[in-house]
Amino acid sequence: MGDSRRSLLSGDSVAPACVEALEQLATVKTQLPVYKFTVGGRQQYIQDSDRPAEIDRLQKIVDANCSVNPQTRSNEESAAQRLHLIRSPDCTGRADKLALMGKPSSHDSPE
C-alpha cells in the first residue's frame, strides 16, 4: 500500500508524514470504530476514552511535519482528503467488488 500512498502525493512539496497524519487525524475524529495495527500486525481498536490522547499525538505529528506555507499546506490537506476518501469503507468496498468483477472466473462462459 506504500506505493499507492506515494501516487496520491502531487510532487515533492507534499510531506508524506504530514498527509498520513492529517488523514489519520480525520479518521480518529469520526464517530466510527477506529483501529490501528500493533507491532505484530494485529488490529487494535481505539477506545473512545483513548481518542483525545490519539488526537493529541497526531496533532503533534501534523505540527512537526506539515508546512506553514499556505499553498503547500493546502496541497497537503487536499492530498489527505483524497487519501481519507480512498480509505473509506465505501470506496474500499467498491474497489474490492470491481477487482472481483475483473477476474476471469467472474464471467459467464462463452458457451
Side-chain angles (χ1 to χ4, degrees):
M1 189 185 280
D3 292 335
S4 65
R5 284 188 201 130
R6 277 189 230 112
S7 68
L8 294 172
L9 306 176
S10 55
D12 295 334
S13 63
V14 178
C18 170
V19 172
E20 187 71 29
L22 286 169
E23 190 278 329
Q24 289 179 15
L25 191 56
T27 300
V28 172
K29 287 182 176 180
T30 67
Q31 296 301 310
L32 299 172
V34 177
Y35 64 87
K36 60 183 178 178
F37 289 102
T38 63
V39 175
R42 296 184 53 185
Q43 293 178 359
Q44 178 182 359
Y45 282 89
I46 298 172
Q47 300 298 317
D48 288 341
S49 60
D50 295 332
R51 284 182 191 247
E54 189 67 13
I55 289 170
D56 287 343
R57 184 186 75 78
L58 291 167
Q59 189 61 55
K60 288 176 184 170
I61 295 170
V62 168
D63 293 344
N65 291 283
C66 294
S67 179
V68 294
N69 176 289
Q71 180 61 44
T72 303
R73 181 59 179 260
S74 177
N75 290 341
E76 292 166 341
E77 289 174 355
S78 293
Q81 288 173 351
R82 287 191 304 275
L83 184 59
H84 189 71
L85 178 64
I86 289 168
R87 289 181 174 172
S88 71
D90 186 48
C91 191
T92 56
R94 289 173 189 233
D96 291 345
K97 184 177 179 179
L98 184 61
L100 287 173
M101 290 170 57
K103 289 186 174 187
S105 61
S106 70
H107 302 289
D108 292 335
S109 69
E111 300 169 357

